[in-house]
C-alpha cells in the first residue's frame, strides 16, 4: 500500500506540474478561438440555418465565459496559489461560484438543446417547421440561461465569500460542518446529476434515435430509387441529413469524451460521503478538470473539419490577421 500511495503521489505531482503549463496555454488559446468562432458564425456566411447558428453562437459564448470564469479566474490562481494570495482578501468567492456553475450549466445544456433541435429536424418532420426556427431557438436558449442562473443561486449561501485557493472541487472556504453535512452532500450530488449526468443520457438517447431514423429512411429511399430508376442519382435530402448528422455527432461525441472523467469523479466523490466509498486517485479528478476545460476550446476545430464554408471563413480570418 505504501508503494501504491507513493506512485499516486508522484503522478499527482506530475499532473500539477503539467497544469502550470497547460492551463495558461489553454487560456491563451481558448479566448481568441471562441471569439473568432462567435464572429464567424454571427456573420451568417457559413451556409448554416439561423436556427443552428443561434445554438452554435450560444455554445461559443458559454465556452468563452467558462474559459474566463473557470480557467483564468479559478484554475490558474489555484495552480499558482503563491502568486495569487492577494485574492484571499477579495471577498467575492461565493458570487464567483454562482457565475462559474451557471456558465458551466449553460455550456452543457446548450449542447443538449442543439442535439434535441437536430433530432427534431431529422426525425420529426411534422414538428420540424414549428420547432426548428430562429424564434424558438432564442426562446429555448433564454429559458436555459435563466434556469441555470436560478439553479446555482444556492452556492452563494453554501460557500463563504473568501477564496481558499486549493486544488479541490470547492474553491471557496467552507466550514467542516457544512461540507460534511447531509444537506451539502445531497445538494452537490443533485447538482452533478443535473449537470452533466442527465445531459449525458439525453445526448446518447437523441443520437441513438437519430441514427435509427436515418438508417431506416436511407434504406427506404434507396429501395424507392431502385424501383424508379436503375441509374444511380444523388439524393440532396439524404446528403443534407448526412452533413447535419456529422456535425451533430462530432459535437456530441466531443462533449461526452471530454466530460466523462469529470462526471464520474464528481458523482463518486459524493457517493463516498453518503456511505458508499469507491476509491479513486486524486490525480484522476485533476485530469477530469483538464479535459472538461479542454472541451471549451475544441468546437472551432470541429466546425472547421466538418463545415467547408466555416473552414473558408476561418482561413480568411487568419490571413487577414497576418496581413494586419
Amino acid at each position: 500500500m505504501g508503494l501504491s500511495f507513493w506512485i499516486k503521489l508522484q503522478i499527482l505531482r506530475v499532473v500539477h506540474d503539467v497544469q502550470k503549463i497547460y492551463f495558461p496555454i489553454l487560456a491563451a488559446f481558448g479566448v481568441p478561438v471562441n471569439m473568432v468562432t462567435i464572429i464567424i458564425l454571427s456573420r451568417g456566411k457559413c451556409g448554416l440555418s439561423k436556427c443552428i447558428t443561434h445554438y452554435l453562437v450560444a455554445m461559443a459564448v458559454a465556452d468563452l465565459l467558462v474559459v474566463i470564469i473557470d480557467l483564468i479566474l479559478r484554475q490558474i490562481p489555484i495552480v499558482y496559489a503563491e502568486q495569487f494570495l492577494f485574492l484571499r482578501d477579495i471577498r467575492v468567492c461565493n458570487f464567483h461560484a454562482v457565475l462559474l456553475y451557471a456558465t458551466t450549466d449553460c455550456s452543457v445544456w446548450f449542447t443538449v438543446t442543439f442535439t434535441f433541435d437536430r433530432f427534431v429536424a431529422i426525425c420529426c418532420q411534422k414538428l420540424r417547421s414549428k420547432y426548428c426556427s430562429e424564434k424558438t431557438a432564442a426562446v429555448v436558449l433564454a429559458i436555459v440561461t435563466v434556469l441555470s442562473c436560478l439553479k446555482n443561486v444556492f452556492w452563494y449561501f453554501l460557500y463563504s465569500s473568501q477564496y481558499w485557493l486549493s486544488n479541490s472541487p470547492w474553491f471557496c472556504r467552507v466550514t467542516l460542518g457544512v461540507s460534511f453535512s447531509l444537506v451539502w452532500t445531497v445538494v452537490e450530488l443533485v447538482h452533478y446529476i443535473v449537470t452533466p449526468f442527465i445531459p449525458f443520457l439525453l445526448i446518447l438517447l437523441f443520437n441513438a434515435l437519430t441514427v435509427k431514423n436515418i438508417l431506416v429512411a436511407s434504406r427506404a429511399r434507396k429501395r424507392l430509387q431502385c424501383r424508379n430508376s436503375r441509374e444511380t442519382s444523388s439524393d440532396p435530402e439524404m446528403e443534407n441529413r448526412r452533413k447535419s448528422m456529422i456535425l451533430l455527432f462530432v459535437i456530441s461525441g466531443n462533449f461526452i469524451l471530454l466530460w466523462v472523467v469529470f462526471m464520474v469523479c464528481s458523482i463518486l466523490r459524493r457517493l463516498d460521503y453518503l456511505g458508499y466509498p469507491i476509491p479513486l486517485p486524486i490525480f484522476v479528478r485533476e485530469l477530469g478538470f483538464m479535459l472538461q476545460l479542454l472541451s471549451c476550446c475544441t468546437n472551432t476545430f470541429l466546425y472547421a473539419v466538418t463545415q467547408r464554408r466555416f473552414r473558408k471563413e476561418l482561413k480568411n480570418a487568419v490571413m487577414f490577421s497576418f496581413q494586419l
Side-chain angles (χ1 to χ4, degrees):
M1 180 176 292
L3 180 60
S4 176
F5 175 79
W6 184 84
I7 293 175
K8 293 177 182 179
L9 182 61
Q10 294 303 313
I11 295 176
L12 181 60
R13 289 176 177 175
V14 171
V15 171
H16 286 168
D17 291 338
V18 171
Q19 286 177 342
K20 291 182 178 181
I21 302 174
Y22 173 79
F23 285 146
I25 292 177
L26 195 63
F29 183 75
V31 172
V33 161
N34 281 295
M35 290 182 65
V36 169
T37 301
I38 295 169
I39 294 172
I40 292 176
L41 292 173
S42 299
R43 295 178 63 188
K45 296 183 179 181
C46 297
L48 301 171
S49 67
K50 292 184 178 180
C51 175
I52 295 178
T53 301
H54 267 50
Y55 286 110
L56 298 186
V57 169
M59 290 163 59
V61 171
D63 287 344
L64 176 62
L65 291 176
V66 171
V67 170
I68 295 173
I69 297 174
D70 192 350
L71 178 57
I72 297 177
L73 298 181
R74 180 175 76 154
Q75 297 294 348
I76 291 179
I78 286 176
V79 297
Y80 289 99
E82 295 181 358
Q83 286 76 27
F84 287 89
L85 292 177
F86 65 90
L87 288 178
R88 293 180 177 177
D89 297 326
I90 303 176
R91 301 301 184 96
V92 293
C93 191
N94 48 357
F95 181 71
H96 182 184
V98 173
L99 292 178
L100 188 154
Y101 293 124
T103 53
T104 302
D105 281 3
C106 286
S107 177
V108 172
W109 282 96
F110 286 168
T111 304
V112 177
T113 56
F114 170 74
T115 305
F116 180 73
D117 177 85
R118 292 300 86 201
F119 163 74
V120 172
I122 295 174
C123 304
C124 309
Q125 297 300 317
K126 294 182 179 180
L127 185 61
R128 176 180 178 177
S129 59
K130 295 181 180 180
Y131 184 84
C132 300
S133 64
E134 184 179 2
K135 181 179 179 181
T136 302
V139 172
V140 169
L141 293 170
I143 292 174
V144 170
T145 302
V146 172
L147 292 178
S148 297
C149 294
L150 293 176
K151 166 185 170 291
N152 291 287
V153 169
F154 64 84
W155 292 110
Y156 183 87
F157 303 99
L158 288 178
Y159 283 147
S160 73
S161 60
Q162 185 178 6
Y163 285 96
W164 189 8
L165 293 182
S166 173
N167 248 326
S168 175
W170 52 73
F171 61 106
C172 304
R173 284 196 176 276
V174 291
T175 62
L176 290 177
V178 172
S179 60
F180 287 94
S181 67
L182 181 61
V183 174
W184 174 288
T185 302
V186 173
V187 167
E188 195 174 32
L189 182 61
V190 171
H191 169 73
Y192 287 120
I193 288 176
V194 173
T195 305
F197 183 71
I198 293 178
F200 261 66
L201 298 181
L202 292 177
I203 289 174
L204 290 174
L205 174 63
F206 294 144
N207 283 343
L209 294 175
T210 302
V211 169
K212 180 180 178 181
N213 181 276
I214 289 176
L215 292 177
V216 172
S218 178
R219 292 169 185 169
R221 293 177 75 89
K222 285 182 179 180
R223 287 196 297 266
L224 183 61
Q225 286 180 348
C226 291
R227 291 176 183 177
N228 294 338
S229 175
R230 293 184 178 180
E231 298 180 359
T232 303
S233 58
S234 60
D235 190 341
E237 177 66 20
M238 292 307 300
E239 182 65 19
N240 290 334
R241 288 191 179 190
R242 186 184 69 84
K243 292 180 180 179
S244 182
M245 182 180 65
I246 291 174
L247 179 62
L248 169 63
F249 290 167
V250 167
I251 293 176
S252 302
N254 176 72
F255 168 76
I256 292 175
L257 180 64
L258 296 180
W259 270 81
V260 65
V261 177
F262 175 82
M263 181 194 70
V264 172
C265 291
S266 300
I267 293 178
L268 291 184
R269 188 175 62 84
R270 270 309 161 187
L271 287 177
D272 187 15
Y273 285 118
L274 288 174
Y276 303 96
I278 301 177
L280 198 65
I282 298 177
F283 70 83
V284 177
R285 184 192 68 198
E286 297 298 319
L287 292 175
F289 284 138
M290 296 168 68
L291 292 174
Q292 176 221 338
L293 291 169
L294 178 62
S295 68
C296 297
C297 307
T298 55
N299 280 347
T300 301
F301 294 97
L302 301 181
Y303 303 153
V305 171
T306 59
Q307 302 296 311
R308 180 179 58 83
R309 293 188 181 181
F310 182 90
R311 185 164 58 248
K312 180 180 178 181
E313 291 294 317
L314 181 61
K315 181 180 178 180
N316 292 338
V318 172
M319 295 300 296
F320 180 72
S321 64
F322 276 113
Q323 290 176 1
L324 290 179

